[in-house]
Amino acid sequence: MAHVTREQLDRLLEQALLADDHEDLARRLEALVEAYASGDISRAAILVLAAEEWRQAGQPARAFDCFQRAMDDGGEVSVDPRAGIADTLFELERPDEAREVIAAIRAVGDVTAATALTVAETLVAYGDLGEAHQWATEGAHRAVEGSGEHIALLRTRYRIRVDLGLPEDELDALLDTSH
C-alpha cells in the first residue's frame, strides 16, 4: 500500500503529458488507486483523473467505470463524479440516462461552482442551451466572486445567453468588471 502525495501525482501527470499517451496514464492512475493507502489527494479524485484520461483515449466505457468508482468511493473531489457520468452517458448516446443523472445532482442541492460549470458545459455540448444557462447562472451565484470558477461560469453563461438571444443582465455586468 502506498501514500500518494500531490507531488507524486504531479510528476506522473507531467510525464504522461510529455509522452502524450492518455491510455497509459489512465492505467497508471488506476494502478495508483489500487495501491492507495493514504494521501494528499483522495482515491476518488485520482479515479476522476483516470476517467478523464480514458475519455481522452477514446474509451468512454472505461471512463464511465472510473467515474462510477469515484462516486462509490465518496472521497473528496472538486467536481461531483456524477457530472462526468452524465457527460460520458451523452457520449455513449444514452441521453435520457444522462439527463436523469443531471436531475439527481440538482435534486441533492448544494452543488459546487465547479460541478455547475461542468454540467453547463456538458449541456452546451449536447445542445440544451436553456438548461445550460440555468446551471451557469446558479453556479455563478454560488461561486466565490472573482475566483477562476466564477469568471469561467460568467463567460460560459455569457456565450450561452448570446446564443439564446437573451438580453444582458446584472451577471453580465460582473463579467465586464472581472476582466
Side-chain angles (χ1 to χ4, degrees):
M1 298 309 249
H3 177 79
V4 180
T5 65
R6 170 56 74 180
E7 294 78 26
Q8 182 183 17
L9 189 60
D10 287 345
R11 278 193 308 276
L12 179 65
L13 294 172
E14 185 178 309
Q15 290 168 1
L17 180 66
L18 293 172
D20 194 31
D21 187 344
H22 297 286
E23 186 173 328
D24 180 61
L25 177 55
R27 289 182 196 286
R28 292 173 73 183
L29 289 167
E30 284 190 280
L32 195 58
V33 167
E34 296 307 316
Y36 188 98
S38 63
D40 301 338
I41 185 169
S42 72
R43 288 170 43 98
I46 297 169
L47 284 164
V48 167
L49 290 171
E52 292 299 339
E53 291 303 317
W54 282 121
R55 288 180 68 189
Q56 290 292 318
Q59 296 194 35
R62 296 284 302 263
F64 180 87
D65 178 60
C66 284
F67 280 127
Q68 186 67 51
R69 288 171 53 204
M71 189 180 82
D72 294 344
D73 180 83
E76 187 176 323
V77 291
S78 60
V79 176
D80 187 326
R82 294 175 299 172
I85 288 172
D87 198 6
T88 305
L89 285 167
F90 275 117
E91 190 175 345
L92 292 168
E93 298 182 12
R94 295 163 53 186
D96 293 339
E97 291 173 73
R99 291 182 195 292
E100 288 174 16
V101 171
I102 290 170
I105 295 169
R106 175 167 276 148
V108 169
D110 197 30
V111 175
T112 67
T115 298
L117 178 61
T118 300
V119 172
E121 289 173 342
T122 294
L123 291 166
V124 166
Y126 292 97
D128 191 343
L129 296 181
E131 186 74 9
H133 187 262
Q134 287 182 321
W135 277 91
T137 300
E138 291 170 17
H141 284 297
R142 291 176 191 249
V144 174
E145 195 164 328
S147 69
E149 289 170 343
H150 188 242
I151 294 166
L153 281 156
L154 291 173
R155 287 183 177 150
T156 298
R157 185 183 178 279
Y158 173 82
R159 287 190 304 272
I160 297 166
R161 183 192 57 74
V162 168
D163 288 347
L164 289 171
L166 298 173
E168 288 187 35
D169 61 18
E170 74 284 349
L171 285 176
D172 293 315
L174 291 175
L175 182 58
D176 291 342
T177 63
S178 67
H179 290 315

